[in-house]
Amino acid sequence: MRKFQIINGPNLNLLGKREPAVYGHTSFEDYLEVLRATYPSFKIDYYQSNAEGELIDKIHETGFSYDGIILNAGAYTHTSVALRDAIQAVEAPVVEVHISNVHAREEFRRCSLISAVCKGVIAGFGLKSYELALLAL
Ligand code: DQA
């Protein structure tokens, strides 16, 4: 069975409640249920943390044994050299995902420190961005 790890970064535990006009009304747990039911032949693991080091630990833990990582690093996308180094250090392909179209928002969201070391980037399709990343992997 192919194994994929979804990793969500800071503030994404509030999906469904946080700025619904930008991020929608669905919690990630509800979306995950649908995603798993749609792809029963994949093992889809999920992890969320607001702490940068814990996201790095999860990348290290899964990055040598999973078939791919789907990473929404939240605001750390725009700031974290340490996350970039972690992605570069592991073997599994990492797809960078964003729910919103970061290029249509504030200027600082256009800069990603992780894109260059990811396999690809998917942004702007709401929660569907995660499914598109899964299909890409
Ligand atoms: C986000 C976009 C980031 O700029 C922001 O900091 C987030 C969520 C998205 O999924 O659209 O927390 O990664």
Side-chain angles (χ1 to χ4, degrees), residues 27-66:
S27 72
F28 199 79
E29 287 69 19
D30 286 349
Y31 175 71
L32 190 59
E33 223 173 276
V34 175
L35 193 65
R36 283 179 173 148
T38 310
Y39 299 95
S41 63
F42 295 154
K43 177 170 156 57
I44 304 171
D45 288 338
Y46 173 57
Y47 180 76
Q48 190 278 330
S49 175
N50 294 318
E52 191 176 10
E54 290 179 359
L55 299 171
I56 291 167
D57 287 344
K58 185 52 78 174
I59 291 169
H60 292 176
E61 187 190 313
T62 56
F64 294 94
S65 54
Y66 278 60

